Structures are given as structure tokens and as C-alpha cells.
Amino acid sequence: MPLARSTRRGLAVAVTTVLTVTGGALSVPAPAAHATVTADSAAADAAMPFLKDARLVDAGLTGFLTATDGSFDKRWTRYTDGLGSIYSNRTQLRSTRTADYLVFVGSVRIQQRNLKTSSSSEVFVGNLPGEPRYAGSAADAVFTTVEADGALTLRQHTHGREGARAVTGLPAGAKDLAVAPGTPDDALLTFTDGTRQKWALIDLATGAVHEVHDRTPGSARGDVAVSDTHVVWTENDDTGTPEVFLLDRATDVVRQIPIAHARASDLQVGLVGRWVVHGEAGGLTSGDENPLYAVTAYDPDTGRSVKLLDHLTSSAAAPDGLYVRGGSVAGGEGLYKITAGADGAPVVTRAASAGTPTKVEITGNSVPAVVDLDENGGSTSLRWDLSRAGVDVRITLRHVRTGKALVVTETHPSTPSVTLDWDGGHIGDGYEAAPNGAYTWEVVARPLNGIGPDAAHPAGGPRRAAPDAPWSPAAPARAPS
């Protein structure tokens, strides 16, 4: 069966609930209902400011790993208290069902540290002919490849076990091997066999390759998630017609999951209970609306869909749930955990807060209570601060005594602030010089990506005007910057 695979860990989570997909024509589900987001710990309410700019890389049982664009480091953080450590950008987090492991990838050795017992193991690698090379890691295992006499051998190094064992069942001639997490019991292997790209699972208990499938040509950029019973993946990423497919591992039957046809370049998918979860990353900073931005769960049994979050930036799986760095209008920005509830439906809890809102907010301003246009040669600079950029802004200034108003619009400012350099002109019905004195103001900010409602600050009411204030000289008004 075809499968697309990316290098990132997407929306993947190990689950045991069987997914049953009904047949019939493919159609986009009805508008999703909304899931309830809760915060169930003190850590969830404590702000972790670094999350504002951090991208979730890996998630485990006790903590998570993040990276920040432009940084050469990764940060390990505990869920319970937000404490963490900084490591190199080649650090990975892997998990079994009972323990987390940090994997430090170096040029001559791979170190694996059990965070529960603090025990470590090392695997030596190199770049010279005949030396083992790092191929990836999953759960408590590190994988290397060794080439001898033109044959490539994949080896599994399991933490706490002496020596390495050769992975069996690998097709002869397989090359370009790469191993990544699948479930705590199976690693995901991608490779090339002749001219065909393929994927398979490696049984971590036996070291045997099984469930070998072809990948769809040209779809290597897509995302994939593996559960104990199913595999879900994307195709046609970086197009306006992305697709999501679900494979039943027991029967090899593939079904297509309905999603909206909209532009996708980082569509992430996963499995939570019997539900397929998907969302297009990057919506919060986008200047366009896209129905794929919402993190949505789809039940193949009933065709029901539920909106879980308003957007995501990144995601990763842990053995006990799916973690999403994203946000909701109700809960704000942060780290969210998605699990299957008692009835199988997804339950969303906030694991940590980034301390920032998801919806657009007007966070501050630099507007004097009384405007004296004569102080600075007949002009003044007014500024409003927003929680994020990518909005259309409408500013209304109204002179309290005369009622004359100035209305200015600014289209999607590139920074989270809007400055109006006003020379006192264009007030009222035409070009008039504005009077000094008290002004009220109103700002309405509309998010271009459609995430959250408009932000509006109502007029602040009359402010004290300077008595008998002179009018400012007339001059062409400048647009806000």
C-alpha cells in the first residue's frame, strides 16, 4: 500500500482501539462541533513563555523536547514543573510504555540515556568505509547500518542489552534506510528497494521487519502516524488537493478520510483512539483563511468530526497521548494533550500555557488623553499594540467637542503594532485641519486567517480638552505605518 513519510514526527500516537471505516462515497464532513478544553494541573496554568516561539519536536511520558527556529539548541522540559535543560539540536526524545530516553547523536558515538533510571549506553559510529552509521532510533533502541561486500546490514542496539542484533526480513538490496518511532512496540522503517520507495515496521521485541508496503511515488514529503491497529498518512502535500488515507493493519484495507480541499504544505495527521486527527500547521501566522488550520478529529465509524483546537504549529506523540503545540480562542496558546475519553471521543487538556492569547487582542496603546498638535509642528504619533500581526485594522479618532472624526485603515500590518503618524488633516467630511483637545478612539482588528473573532476597543469616552485650543495648520495627512 502507498505511504508518504516526512522526517518530522507528526501527529502519531500508539493506541489499541480498533478503527472501523465505513464505505461509501468520499465527502467532506459537516462543520465540526467543538471539543471542550480543560487544564488539569497546576503546571497547565503556569506560563512557560518559551513556548510562544518554540516548536514541539518530541513528546514523552515525563516531558517534551522543543526547538526554536534560528537556534542550534533544543530544550527538554518536564510537564510537572516546567523545569528543563538545554541540549544540542541533534538530541532526540524516545519512549517505551514505561520510560523516556534522550538520544544524543554525535559524529563518533550515539548516547542513549534512560531518564527514569539515569542509566546510559553508547553506540559508536563513523563515516569511514565499513564503520557503522546512525540510521535512527525508536523506543529504547538505536539503529545503525554497516556495509560490507556491497551488502547493507541494519542493526538494532537495545538499551540494557549487550551487543547488537541484525534486523531480519529486510529485502535484499534495500538502501537509504531510516528508522523513526512508530509505536512503543514497532519502529517505522523507510527505505529504497531498487527504484521503489517503501516503508515497513520493525518489531522491536524480535528485530524482524514486517508489513512492507510501497510508498506513493513523489509523496515522500507527507506525514504518517502509526498505531497498534492502523496507519494514517497524507498525500499530495504542497498542493491544493491534499489527501489522507487510513490503512487497517489487520486486513490491509485502505480507506480515504474526507478532508477539505485547500492549500496544504505541512498537513499533520495522527490517531487518537478510533479517531483520525489532522491539521495544517502554521495557521496563526498566515494571512489567509484555510479550513485545514483547525485541529480536527474525524470518527470513521460515524462520519462525525470535532474541532479540537483552532490551530497548531507542531505536534508529537507520546505513549499516553498526542501533544500539540497550538492554541484555542478559549484556552490561548500552549501545549495541549489529546487522549481518548471513556466513550472513545477525543479529550483535550492543556498541559502548559504559553502565556499568550490565540485570538487577536489589543494589548496596549500610546495615545495621549489630550492631543496638542502644535507641540510637534502640527503632527502627532499614535500607536496601538496587538497580540499578533496579520490583521486588518480600522482606527477611528473623534474630537469630543465637535464630534468630527478621522477614520483610517491599515491592511494586515507585518508587525504586532500599528502607528498613526497624523498631521491633523482629513478630519470630518473633507480635508480639514483638526482641533486640539480631547479625542476618543476606537480600534477594530480583523484577523486575516479567520482564527478568532475581531478585536475591538470601544471609544474611551470624552477626555479633558485644552480650553480654547487653537487649530493646527492644514497639511496632507500621512497614512498609518
Side-chain angles (χ1 to χ4, degrees), residues 328-383:
S328 72
V329 170
E333 294 297 288
L335 183 67
Y336 289 86
K337 183 179 182 180
I338 306 172
T339 56
D343 61 353
V347 175
V348 182
T349 57
R350 192 178 64 209
S353 170
T356 55
T358 296
K359 63 183 179 181
V360 175
E361 291 185 354
I362 300 168
T363 59
N365 70 86
S366 178
V367 181
V370 176
V371 175
D372 187 347
L373 293 163
D374 296 324
E375 284 187 349
N376 298 303
S379 65
T380 187
S381 183
L382 315 175
R383 191 189 77 247

Side-chain angles (χ1 to χ4, degrees), residues 13-16 60-62 94-101 116 139-140 182-186 204 226-229 249 318-321:
V13 60
V15 292
T16 56
L61 297 168
T62 59
R94 303 293 184 249
S95 302
T96 65
R97 295 191 189 278
T98 59
D100 289 334
Y101 295 80
K116 187 175 183 179
D140 59 352
T183 75
D185 300 317
D186 290 301
L204 293 171
V226 183
S227 79
D228 291 340
T229 57
R249 292 177 57 184
D320 61 346

Side-chain angles (χ1 to χ4, degrees), residues 256-282:
Q256 188 169 358
I257 300 301
I259 63 170
H261 277 175
R263 185 72 189 181
S265 59
D266 193 5
L267 182 61
Q268 302 185 25
V269 292
L271 296 164
V272 175
R274 68 175 185 268
W275 296 68
V276 176
V277 179
H278 62 81
E280 168 72 7

Side-chain angles (χ1 to χ4, degrees), residues 111-465:
Q111 185 186 63
Q112 188 181 39
R113 181 186 304 166
N114 185 320
L115 295 179
K116 187 175 183 179
T117 65
S118 297
S119 59
S120 296
S121 60
E122 293 182 341
V123 177
F124 290 92
V125 295
N127 292 316
L128 297 177
E131 292 183 333
R133 300 192 179 193
Y134 180 62
S137 59
D140 59 352
V142 168
F143 292 83
T144 60
T145 57
V146 177
E147 186 173 5
D149 300 324
L152 194 64
T153 301
L154 180 64
R155 302 191 302 177
Q156 178 180 339
H157 310 258
T158 303
H159 183 78
R161 182 181 300 168
E162 289 294 332
R165 66 180 175 192
V167 173
T168 62
L170 188 66
K175 60 181 181 179
D176 303 324
L177 309 180
V179 180
T183 75
D185 300 317
D186 290 301
L188 178 66
L189 170 66
T190 58
F191 62 97
T192 302
D193 185 5
T195 60
R196 303 181 72 89
Q197 293 182 324
K198 297 186 176 184
W199 69 272
L201 298 177
I202 303 173
D203 188 321
L204 293 171
T206 65
V209 172
H210 61 110
E211 300 184 42
V212 179
H213 297 266
D214 287 343
R215 296 169 67 181
T216 302
S219 61
R221 292 194 61 228
D223 195 25
V224 58
V226 183
S227 79
D228 291 340
T229 57
H230 285 75
V231 179
V232 64
W233 70 92
T234 68
E235 292 186 9
N236 295 332
D237 254 22
D238 210 17
T239 74
T241 56
E243 297 174 311
V244 176
F245 294 91
L246 182 71
L247 166 70
D248 187 321
R249 292 177 57 184
T251 64
D252 257 4
V253 173
V254 174
R255 293 285 187 268
Q256 188 169 358
I257 300 301
I259 63 170
H261 277 175
R263 185 72 189 181
S265 59
D266 193 5
L267 182 61
Q268 302 185 25
V269 292
L271 296 164
V272 175
R274 68 175 185 268
W275 296 68
V276 176
V277 179
H278 62 81
E280 168 72 7
L284 195 66
T285 57
S286 172
D288 299 302
E289 294 189 38
N290 188 325
L292 295 176
Y293 288 151
V295 180
T296 304
Y298 175 79
D299 183 358
D301 286 355
T302 64
R304 178 189 175 205
S305 70
V306 178
K307 180 179 177 181
L308 305 179
L309 296 168
D310 287 293
H311 82 98
L312 66 87
T313 68
S314 46
S315 58
D320 61 346
L322 168 67
Y323 285 88
V324 174
R325 166 63 187 94
S328 72
V329 170
E333 294 297 288
L335 183 67
Y336 289 86
K337 183 179 182 180
I338 306 172
T339 56
D343 61 353
V347 175
V348 182
T349 57
R350 192 178 64 209
S353 170
T356 55
T358 296
K359 63 183 179 181
V360 175
E361 291 185 354
I362 300 168
T363 59
N365 70 86
S366 178
V367 181
V370 176
V371 175
D372 187 347
L373 293 163
D374 296 324
E375 284 187 349
N376 298 303
S379 65
T380 187
S381 183
L382 315 175
R383 191 189 77 247
W384 291 267
D385 299 321
L386 309 172
S387 58
R388 59 180 167 94
V391 296
D392 280 342
V393 179
R394 185 176 187 270
I395 302 167
T396 302
L397 295 177
R398 188 175 302 277
H399 187 242
V400 173
R401 180 171 57 84
T402 64
K404 294 182 178 181
L406 168 72
V407 179
V408 181
T409 59
E410 170 75 348
T411 302
H412 50 270
S414 57
T415 60
S417 65
V418 177
T419 299
L420 172 61
D421 293 323
W422 183 39
D423 65 1
H426 286 297
I427 194 167
D429 296 330
Y431 178 73
E432 298 181 45
N436 290 330
Y439 280 80
T440 63
W441 58 267
E442 181 183 71
V443 170
V444 178
R446 180 181 67 87
L448 297 182
N449 55 17
I451 298 176
D454 294 355
H457 192 295
R463 297 184 175 94
R464 183 169 55 86

Side-chain angles (χ1 to χ4, degrees), residues 50 53-55 57 66-76 85-91:
F50 71 91
D53 302 312
R55 171 173 44 88
V57 178
T66 54
T68 302
D69 290 341
S71 172
F72 294 103
D73 300 321
K74 288 182 180 176
R75 176 188 173 108
W76 156 257
S85 302
I86 303 298
Y87 297 106
S88 78
N89 65 345
R90 299 192 70 191
T91 303

